[in-house]
Amino acid sequence: MSPSRAQATAWVIVALIVTAAVAGALLAHSRSNGADKVSGPVIQDITITGMRFSPARIEVDNSTPVVLKITNEDDRTHDLKIGSQYSGVISPGETVVRDFGTFDTSIQGWCTMASHKARGMVYDVVVTN
Ligand SMILES: [Cu+2]
């Protein structure tokens, strides 16, 4: 092996060691909250157009906060109520980010504006455990 090739090989080994150390540190960090799995808020982008939430459902476990970023692209005012949690009024063109918290069981939310629920403005939180 030539000196330059040996040097290149040495650098590859150093790079592999650094990569492994970083990966190990990240793994240790993700477990430092006491759980084996990584858990944090699930952020979903929702768009409102034509009396619909899109997407109109989310699947989460009961320890994961549901954070929704809702953009109203419709020309009417809308909102979203899920259980006791409320988005607040969302004006046309407005984007809001709301933490709806965790849910113990599956639940359906809806837009509280008059007749919007009946016209299809529902949103399902599906709890997977
Ligand atoms: Cu609505």
Side-chain angles (χ1 to χ4, degrees), residues 1-13:
M1 199 181 279
S2 71
S4 66
R5 187 168 170 81
Q7 198 173 28
T9 304
W11 276 114
V12 167
I13 291 168

Side-chain angles (χ1 to χ4, degrees), residues 63-115:
S63 65
T64 304
V66 174
V67 179
L68 303 180
K69 181 183 176 190
I70 309 170
T71 299
N72 183 5
E73 292 186 356
D74 199 19
D75 55 8
R76 280 168 285 217
T77 295
H78 297 287
D79 61 13
L80 176 58
K81 189 175 194 304
I82 308 174
S84 61
Q85 301 298 312
Y86 183 57
S87 66
V89 169
I90 312 169
S91 301
E94 189 183 5
T95 297
V96 300
V97 179
R98 291 284 183 274
D99 184 350
F100 285 79
T102 58
F103 294 90
D104 291 333
T105 55
S106 296
I107 186 171
Q108 186 170 71
W110 55 82
C111 177
T112 69
M113 301 293 156
S115 82

Side-chain angles (χ1 to χ4, degrees), residues 19-35:
T19 302
V22 169
L26 287 174
L27 202 60
H29 179 72
S30 71
R31 287 180 175 169
S32 66
N33 60 7

Side-chain angles (χ1 to χ4, degrees), residues 9-74:
T9 304
W11 276 114
V12 167
I13 291 168
V14 167
L16 287 174
I17 290 168
V18 168
T19 302
V22 169
L26 287 174
L27 202 60
H29 179 72
S30 71
R31 287 180 175 169
S32 66
N33 60 7
D36 271 342
K37 63 182 178 183
V38 177
S39 76
V42 167
I43 302 172
Q44 187 184 53
D45 263 301
I46 297 176
T47 304
I48 298 172
T49 50
M51 292 287 177
R52 287 286 183 280
F53 295 105
S54 179
R57 80 197 294 270
I58 190 170
E59 291 189 9
V60 285
D61 63 44
N62 62 9
S63 65
T64 304
V66 174
V67 179
L68 303 180
K69 181 183 176 190
I70 309 170
T71 299
N72 183 5
E73 292 186 356
D74 199 19

